[in-house]
Amino acid sequence: MAKEKKLVEEITSMDVDFAQWYTDIVLKAELVDYTSVKGCLVIRPAGYAIWENMKNEIDRRFKETGIENCYLPMFIPESLLQKEADHVEGFAPEVAWVTYGGMEKLDERLCVRPTSETLFCDYYSRVVKSYRDLPQLLNQWCSVVRWEKTTRPFLRSREFLWQEGHTVHATAKEAHDRTVQMLEVYADFFEKDLAIPVIRGIKTDKEKFAGAEATYTIEALMHDGKALQSGTSHYFGDGFAKAFNVTFTDKDNQIKPVFETSFGMTTRIIGAVIMVHGDNSGLKLPPHIAPVQVNIIPVAAHKEGVLDAANALYDRLKAAGIRVKLDDSEKSPGFKFAESEMRGIPLRIEIGPKDIENNQCVFVRRDTGEKSFVSLDNVESDAKECLENIQTNMYETALAHRDAHTYEARTMEEFKDIADNKPGFIKAMWCGDRACEDKIKEVAGATSRCMPEAQEQISDVCVCCGKKAKKMVYWGKAY
């Protein structure tokens, strides 16, 4: 039994060291491996399969709104990057540069894309001529490079996978509506498929994307009480269009700039799933995005009929459209149980000689650990129902945790006390002054996460300066 528990014992308790617990999980569950370049990781099959399922769900939603996929180059000429001043200034510290091609020094440095606004603008400036060419609704799935000083698997790496959508429109209203629409796409994906509740809102000017007029965000709360920016949708107005001369001839025969949006979500959402749902036994994957939804483990597999029954069960569940695995390896059942939990497989099904005699199997839920005996007659429908119950319960558990760790502060003293002693979201009023936002970060170590669309009047004055408040803001310490 000690050997069977070894996988779990090698995980640091999240209550002892949450950061080490997280690292243990991503390594022991074989999601990633390190490479010889800091911040650049191997995403192993178990990790990439999760990303593929996430990608499929997001991509399906995108296409339902009219988005088409494309691909643009990974290199950006320096002169192109320099065209939008705020944008280049915001990314300059993180840019990786290519200065040589083979043995020859390049005439102009090439930036390895940290994001692709400039490339899309350059493209749109050539293909958009008339109102008939609008809107353009494009997205690309790719990797980007940002030379981070501090790295952590999935959460912050120098190269990461993501999607970046870039759309252009004839009017400001169309562009703004698309910005909000894509944020709702992200929120729907997070809540329905990742079982993670989110706060929707708009970023302050300090926290908005470089070059954007407005940045909309979904913010999620991790198990340790830290916030994670989980998806952003940006309204650019016509700033990029004017910088890159992206214009069109309108119906009134006037030449006008387009209005642009951008939206992105990255592999850091794998980190969000780990930190919201995981426990000291390993991953807990929501059934909707779990690569393996059901793991069948034969008990006393050496006895006659057990493997045949397990294989028959596998075939039935697979035919029913369930992502199922049969673990018929020579490892002990106890080790298989621990490994199944470590990998976060939502439902484990055990079947042995006594179960076969009784025309049953054993369901073991990863979310609650609950065991139940289930008739083999209706195992397909029962498994599907159980998986949906797990999905719902995981969301409700995460929502209860977030609500229990969301606090209100009316004074700076109260704010600092919460920030120091009660990890979570802090709701507090703000006057809109950048100086107060900076002061809150300096004094309490918390940043503004977003100004939610559903505003609450916690008090009439700013939590920092005492002047008249303009907005209620979610604050928190963040990854």
Side-chain angles (χ1 to χ4, degrees):
M1 182 60 70
K3 290 182 179 178
E4 293 164 358
K5 295 291 185 182
K6 187 178 180 183
L7 274 173
V8 175
E9 289 176 352
E10 290 178 345
I11 302 175
T12 303
S13 170
M14 62 167 61
D15 297 324
V16 172
D17 187 338
F18 192 82
Q20 188 58 50
W21 167 84
Y22 176 85
T23 301
D24 290 347
I25 293 290
V26 297
L27 294 176
K28 300 299 180 185
E30 298 182 346
L31 302 183
V32 302
D33 195 13
Y34 294 115
T35 71
S36 55
V37 179
K38 180 185 177 182
C40 296
L41 301 168
V42 175
I43 302 179
R44 300 181 68 174
Y48 198 79
I50 296 171
W51 176 243
E52 283 183 312
N53 287 342
M54 292 176 169
K55 177 181 174 182
N56 290 340
E57 289 299 330
I58 301 170
D59 199 62
R60 173 182 62 78
R61 285 175 169 84
F62 283 175
K63 287 172 179 172
E64 287 172 356
T65 74
I67 300 289
E68 295 181 291
N69 287 329
C70 65
Y71 186 82
L72 275 68
M74 69 184 303
F75 298 121
I76 306 172
E78 185 172 14
S79 57
L80 193 64
L81 192 67
Q82 296 284 353
K83 282 192 173 184
E84 214 291 328
D86 290 341
H87 185 66
V88 68
E89 182 181 353
F91 279 98
E94 301 174 348
V95 169
W97 294 100
V98 176
T99 56
Y100 277 81
M103 301 298 292
E104 296 183 8
K105 189 172 182 179
L106 300 179
D107 293 333
E108 180 180 14
R109 293 194 301 176
L110 298 177
C111 161
V112 183
R113 64 174 169 228
T115 181
S116 301
E117 277 73 18
T118 54
L119 289 172
F120 273 91
C121 286
D122 187 51
Y123 168 73
Y124 285 140
S125 71
R126 293 192 299 274
V127 301
V128 175
K129 303 299 179 185
S130 160
Y131 69 90
R132 298 181 184 88
D133 301 322
L134 297 171
Q136 294 275 332
L137 309 174
L138 298 181
N139 173 70
Q140 71 168 343
W141 294 92
C142 63
S143 69
V144 292
V145 173
R146 297 180 184 177
W147 215 255
E148 302 279 2
K149 293 181 180 179
T150 303
T151 62
R152 185 178 296 182
F154 294 125
L155 298 178
R156 196 169 293 276
S157 54
R158 288 180 174 173
E159 180 186 15
F160 55 88
L161 304 179
W162 77 344
Q163 57 72 212
E164 51 176 320
H166 298 268
T167 71
V168 289
H169 305 263
T171 68
K173 184 180 185 306
E174 284 182 26
H176 184 267
D177 288 348
R178 171 61 64 167
T179 304
V180 175
Q181 180 184 22
M182 300 319 293
L183 188 77
E184 284 301 316
V185 167
Y186 287 150
D188 185 72
F189 165 67
F190 252 69
E191 296 186 339
K192 290 184 179 176
D193 289 328
L194 302 189
I196 298 176
V198 295
I199 303 294
R200 302 159 173 81
I202 189 168
K203 290 286 191 182
T204 64
D205 285 346
K206 177 185 178 182
E207 298 291 335
K208 71 182 181 183
F209 183 80
E213 284 193 18
T215 290
Y216 292 79
T217 181
I218 55 172
E219 299 284 327
L221 190 69
M222 305 297 101
H223 189 81
D224 65 345
K226 286 187 179 180
L228 187 74
Q229 178 180 292
S230 301
T232 49
S233 186
H234 314 287
Y235 172 65
F236 287 142
D238 59 4
F240 276 92
K242 290 177 177 177
F244 288 85
N245 195 32
V246 188
T247 60
F248 69 102
T249 303
D250 207 351
K251 293 177 182 179
D252 58 7
N253 209 35
Q254 297 295 308
I255 296 177
K256 300 175 182 177
V258 299
F259 294 85
E260 188 173 353
T261 83
S262 177
F263 45 93
M265 183 174 282
T266 81
T267 39
R268 74 168 12 202
I269 62 179
I270 298 177
V273 169
I274 296 168
M275 292 193 294
V276 169
H277 299 305
D279 62 17
N280 288 330
S281 293
L283 291 173
K284 281 186 187 178
L285 295 177
H288 286 190
I289 54 92
V292 177
Q293 295 171 310
V294 175
N295 191 17
I296 301 171
I297 298 179
V299 179
H302 61 285
K303 292 191 175 181
E304 185 178 355
V306 172
L307 280 179
D308 289 339
N311 276 289
L313 188 55
Y314 171 86
D315 291 339
R316 289 173 61 186
L317 294 176
K318 185 177 180 181
I322 295 171
R323 296 189 291 274
V324 59
K325 171 188 174 184
L326 169 60
D327 190 346
D328 57 359
S329 66
E330 295 183 359
K331 300 170 186 174
S332 69
F335 188 92
K336 293 178 184 180
F337 297 162
E339 187 174 48
S340 187
E341 290 182 354
M342 165 68 75
R343 296 186 182 278
I345 298 173
L347 179 61
R348 184 172 84 235
I349 297 181
E350 303 168 11
I351 187 165
K354 289 184 178 179
D355 299 310
I356 297 169
E357 287 178 18
N358 295 320
N359 191 43
Q360 68 183 25
C361 60
V362 180
F363 279 16
V364 184
R365 292 173 53 149
R366 176 65 181 90
D367 60 329
T368 63
E370 177 187 354
K371 293 187 178 183
S372 58
F373 293 100
V374 176
S375 170
L376 291 176
D377 293 339
N378 304 307
V379 71
E380 297 96 334
S381 59
D382 286 346
K384 287 183 177 181
E385 182 180 1
C386 185
L387 289 170
E388 283 307 307
N389 288 339
I390 292 170
Q391 183 80 27
T392 299
N393 182 61
M394 289 180 71
Y395 175 80
E396 291 176 348
T397 300
L399 180 60
H401 179 270
R402 186 195 73 186
D403 290 348
H405 293 82
T406 300
Y407 310 95
E408 295 181 0
R410 290 168 177 78
T411 66
M412 198 62 215
E413 183 180 3
E414 188 178 13
F415 191 110
K416 188 176 186 308
D417 180 62
I418 294 171
D420 289 344
N421 301 300
K422 297 178 180 179
F425 283 132
I426 306 173
K427 297 192 292 186
M429 303 305 292
W430 178 53
C431 63
D433 193 331
R434 169 72 178 268
C436 285
E437 189 176 1
D438 292 340
K439 182 73 176 292
I440 289 171
K441 182 177 181 181
E442 178 187 343
V443 172
T447 56
S448 61
R449 304 317 308 153
C450 71
M451 297 174 284
E453 55 184 352
Q455 282 284 301
E456 301 173 46
Q457 191 74 17
I458 294 172
S459 74
D460 295 326
V461 299
C462 175
V463 72
C464 183
C465 68
K467 294 179 182 177
K468 185 178 179 180
K470 293 182 179 178
K471 290 286 185 179
M472 190 277 281
V473 179
Y474 275 84
W475 309 81
K477 297 179 181 179
Y479 282 98

